[in-house]
Amino acid sequence: KLDKELWVAVEGLYTGQFVYCGAKARLEVGNCMPLGKMPEGTVVSMCEEKASDRGRLARASGCNCMVVGHSDDGRKTRIRLPSGSRKTVPSTCRAVIGIVAGGGRLDKPVLKAGNNHHKYKVKRNCWPRVRGSAMNPVEHPHGGGNHQHVGHPTTMSRDAVPGQKVGLIAARRTGILRGGKKK
């Protein structure tokens, strides 16, 4: 019986290529193996958070994780996520070797609304987005008034009731960020 499996493709795969999974797989692009069997500095994608959860991290196009180090007892592995943060996961977690295909997808400008229309049609109904101040007062707390204005501070407390909770929810500060980041 032929088992068909759908998973994220990595860059450099081609049709008809054999990919191998398991602890004894070779360290080649497209193969899937536990993180504990990989040397430090290996670039991986489709990485698991818990053992055998089928891959949760670094799945978007062009993303990748890097194996940063292993613990002394070999139980845990540290990986660097696409955001730059480090995460410790069990060494039994599997990952696919290589970078996710389709990188540079956001480099090309959208140019027209029709392209966004088709982009979000296949995802979910979240486009186009109407501003709250352009609505009527029955539809949004920012709606209504004789000009399109909000009319009150948009900062909203954390314990506001649902329906009232629009705008900047529990904002510690608002406004533009002045000054560079402190080292």
Side-chain angles (χ1 to χ4, degrees):
K1 178 174 172 287
L2 186 69
D3 281 339
K4 290 199 174 176
E5 200 60 52
L6 189 72
W7 70 33
V8 174
V10 294
E11 243 170 58
L13 289 190
Y14 53 87
T15 310
Q17 179 176 348
F18 284 88
V19 291
Y20 299 96
C21 303
K24 299 203 174 110
R26 303 232 322 259
L27 193 74
E28 289 175 355
V29 170
N31 287 358
C32 176
M33 54 196 291
L35 290 170
K37 302 281 183 189
M38 298 179 190
E40 293 171 13
T42 310
V43 174
V44 296
S45 58
M46 193 70 170
C47 190
E48 296 181 333
E49 275 184 296
K50 303 182 182 74
S52 68
D53 68 1
R54 296 299 198 91
R56 293 284 180 269
L57 310 170
R59 293 165 53 112
S61 60
C63 285
N64 64 293
C65 287
M66 186 182 275
V67 179
V68 178
H70 304 288
S71 62
D72 295 331
D73 58 357
R75 295 264 183 88
K76 301 271 185 188
T77 300
R78 278 189 72 77
I79 55 174
R80 196 181 75 226
L81 300 179
S83 63
S85 59
R86 310 276 168 99
K87 188 177 176 74
T88 306
V89 294
S91 294
T92 51
C93 289
R94 299 166 297 177
V96 180
I97 296 159
I99 300 174
V100 184
R105 179 169 52 91
L106 299 176
D107 295 348
K108 183 182 168 200
V110 177
L111 288 181
K112 55 183 194 169
N115 290 345
N116 260 343
H117 166 79
H118 294 296
K119 173 183 167 182
Y120 287 106
K121 195 167 82 168
V122 295
K123 289 176 182 283
R124 65 203 79 82
N125 182 23
C126 63
W127 187 91
R129 183 140 193 192
V130 181
R131 290 169 298 119
S133 59
M135 299 181 188
N136 294 320
V138 292
E139 290 147 357
H140 200 276
H142 294 172
N146 277 351
H147 300 281
Q148 279 194 12
H149 70 297
V150 177
H152 54 85
T154 53
T155 318
M156 190 52 64
S157 70
R158 170 71 67 211
D159 49 4
V161 295
Q164 186 185 10
K165 227 176 185 179
V166 297
L168 305 160
I169 298 167
R172 292 197 177 87
R173 68 178 302 278
T174 60
I176 64 170
L177 292 164
R178 297 254 186 207
K181 283 233 173 125
K182 295 279 190 296
K183 286 280 184 235

